[in-house]
């Protein structure tokens, strides 16, 4: 089949504006496929996440009006709602990231790109990428736990040490987190072991810190705009209903079935919109990775040499 536009080359050194353009070009060409499979995979998560989000917001706003005898139970319920919400977010991020990288890999390998692609066509890579994303999540938890324990130990030994450790920790976090944003792309697209991917991430990330920061900043702002469009209706309706219920617990507005259903439906749309914004940022970071790895390691150049030697 003939396509109106030539197939996008992944491994190519690009300027920032070119990365932005090629990311949007790739998204324009493949948005129907991304939207379809994102809906299939994340909708069940969004249904649970919407419930947890509404319950957490409701219980938080009504915490001050709870009687002393039920305060401890309310705190436990609040923690449970927040825990369920965070669990859904983490699972959704892992599943969606695995899907995005799998479709990017399928686009590169298939002559027909993503046209008429079925889940069975990328199921193997999706499962492998999902396992990798879970490893990355566990690694992130381990790093946060280790840093928290170190800071807590220093505070226990000498409380005044926080005046030194916290500013240094903030600076270190800013310097390290920017290169760390490349890790999913390096680990999933580079087909490296975790240790090799981690080393390459910081080699690429620190060498291109400014470029990576700019990519994270711009695509993050665009993602926030997309997410904000779907968040605002849910936020306005929910806040109005909760304010009315605080003034009058028996208000017919927030007790009606239609309000409850509408607030829940808007929460589902809000959650799905947040996940859709992840597609843009992840795609932008993927093309940034392709440019960096080609610039540093000449992947496409080495591949052309190997292909020439096989002739």
């Amino acid at each position: 089949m003939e396509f109106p536009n030539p197939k996008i080359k992944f491994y190519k050194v690009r300027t920032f504006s070119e990365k932005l353009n090629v990311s949007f070009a790739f998204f324009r060409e493949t948005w129907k496929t991304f939207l379809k499979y994102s809906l299939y995979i994340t909708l069940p998560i969004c249904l649970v996440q919407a419930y947890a989000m509404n319950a957490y917001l409701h219980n938080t706003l009504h915490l001050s009006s709870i009687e002393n005898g039920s305060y401890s139970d309310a705190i436990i319920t609040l923690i449970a709602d927040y825990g369920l919400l965070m669990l859904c977010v983490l699972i959704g991020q892992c599943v969606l990231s695995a899907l995005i990288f799998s479709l990017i890999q399928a686009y590169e390998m298939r002559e027909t790109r993503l046209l008429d692609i079925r889940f069975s066509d990328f199921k193997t890579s999706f499962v492998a990428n999902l396992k990798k994303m879970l490893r990355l999540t566990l690694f992130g938890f381990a790093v946060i736990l280790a840093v928290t324990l170190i800071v807590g130990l220093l505070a226990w030994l000498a409380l005044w040490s926080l005046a030194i450790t916290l500013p240094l920790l903030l600076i270190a976090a800013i310097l390290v987190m920017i290169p760390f944003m490349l890790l999913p792309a390096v680990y999933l697209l580079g087909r490296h072991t975790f240790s090799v991917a981690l080393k390459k991430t910081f080699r690429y990330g620190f060498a291109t810190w400014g470029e990576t920061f700019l990519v994270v900043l711009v695509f993050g702002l665009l993602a926030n705009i997309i997410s904000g469009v779907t968040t605002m209706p849910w936020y306005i309706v929910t806040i109005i209903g909760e304010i009315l219920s605080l003034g009058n617990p028996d208000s017919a507005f927030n007790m009606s079935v239609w309000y409850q259903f509408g607030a829940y439906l808007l929460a589902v749309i809000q959650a799905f919109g947040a996940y859709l914004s992840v597609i843009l940022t992840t795609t932008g970071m993927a093309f940034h990775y392709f440019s960096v790895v080609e610039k540093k390691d000449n992947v496409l150049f080495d591949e052309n040499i190997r292909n020439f030697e096989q002739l």
Side-chain angles (χ1 to χ4, degrees):
M1 177 180 178
E2 294 185 1
F3 291 88
N5 298 315
K7 188 175 183 179
I8 295 174
K9 294 181 179 179
F10 287 168
Y11 292 96
K12 180 180 178 181
V13 178
R14 293 182 170 94
T15 63
F16 175 76
S17 59
E18 289 174 338
K19 294 173 189 175
L20 192 66
N21 291 335
V22 75
S23 297
F24 281 110
F26 179 78
F27 190 71
R28 283 195 300 269
E29 181 180 337
T30 60
W31 70 269
K32 292 182 180 179
T33 303
F34 275 99
L35 181 63
K36 180 176 70 173
Y37 285 105
S38 298
L39 184 63
Y40 290 161
I41 290 178
T42 63
L43 184 58
I45 301 172
C46 291
L47 295 176
V48 180
Q49 183 174 324
Y51 164 78
M53 187 163 53
N54 282 349
Y56 176 73
L57 180 63
H58 174 80
N59 292 329
T60 300
L61 294 176
H62 288 77
L63 193 62
S64 60
S65 62
I66 296 175
E67 298 178 357
N68 294 333
S70 304
Y71 195 78
S72 59
D73 295 335
I75 293 295
I76 294 174
T77 302
L78 194 65
I79 294 174
D81 292 334
Y82 184 76
L84 180 60
L85 176 60
M86 289 297 100
L87 180 62
C88 290
V89 171
L90 289 175
I91 294 175
Q93 291 279 355
C94 289
V95 170
L96 186 58
S97 296
L99 172 68
I100 295 168
F101 287 121
S102 298
L103 290 176
I104 290 175
Q105 290 168 334
Y107 179 94
E108 182 183 22
M109 297 177 63
R110 300 174 82 243
E111 293 184 0
T112 57
R113 309 178 191 183
L114 297 184
L115 182 65
D116 297 329
I117 189 172
R118 296 175 297 179
F119 182 73
S120 58
D121 295 330
F122 63 93
K123 179 181 178 181
T124 302
S125 62
F126 173 75
V127 173
N129 287 334
L130 183 57
K131 292 179 180 178
K132 289 184 176 182
M133 285 303 305
L134 292 175
R135 292 192 197 106
L136 289 180
T137 302
L138 293 176
F139 173 74
F141 274 121
V143 171
I144 294 174
L145 180 61
V147 172
T148 302
L149 290 176
I150 293 173
V151 173
L153 180 61
L154 291 174
W156 179 71
L157 293 174
L159 187 60
W160 58 267
S161 66
L162 291 179
I164 300 175
T165 56
L166 289 181
L168 291 177
L169 182 62
L170 180 61
I171 295 173
I174 295 175
L175 292 176
V176 173
M177 283 303 296
I178 297 301
F180 189 76
M181 297 295 289
L182 271 172
L183 181 56
V186 176
Y187 188 32
L188 276 70
L189 296 176
R191 298 179 176 89
H192 304 297
T193 62
F194 180 77
S195 59
V196 173
L198 192 61
K199 293 177 183 178
K200 285 183 175 291
T201 293
F202 288 107
R203 182 166 74 89
Y204 297 150
F206 282 115
T208 60
W209 195 95
E211 295 178 47
T212 306
F213 174 77
L214 191 60
V215 170
V216 172
L217 177 64
V218 173
F219 280 95
L221 289 174
L222 292 174
N224 285 333
I225 293 174
I226 296 173
S227 179
V229 171
T230 59
T231 298
M232 192 58 63
W234 166 80
Y235 183 79
I236 293 175
V237 170
T238 304
I239 291 299
I240 290 176
E242 295 299 334
I243 290 176
L244 290 176
S245 66
L246 286 173
N248 181 13
D250 297 325
S251 172
F253 177 77
N254 69 299
M255 293 295 291
S256 68
V257 175
W258 288 110
Y259 168 77
Q260 298 291 339
F261 176 76
Y264 176 72
L265 183 61
L266 289 175
V268 173
I269 296 174
Q270 185 274 336
F272 185 66
Y275 287 128
L276 285 182
S277 67
V278 174
I279 298 177
L280 182 62
T281 56
T282 305
T283 302
M285 190 57 64
F287 280 101
H288 175 58
Y289 161 76
F290 291 135
S291 176
V292 170
V293 74
E294 178 62 23
K295 182 179 180 180
K296 298 298 180 183
D297 294 340
N298 294 320
V299 173
L300 189 59
F301 180 75
D302 293 341
E303 184 180 345
N304 291 335
I305 292 178
R306 288 193 298 269
N307 293 335
F308 179 77
E309 291 174 347
Q310 293 173 1
L311 293 177

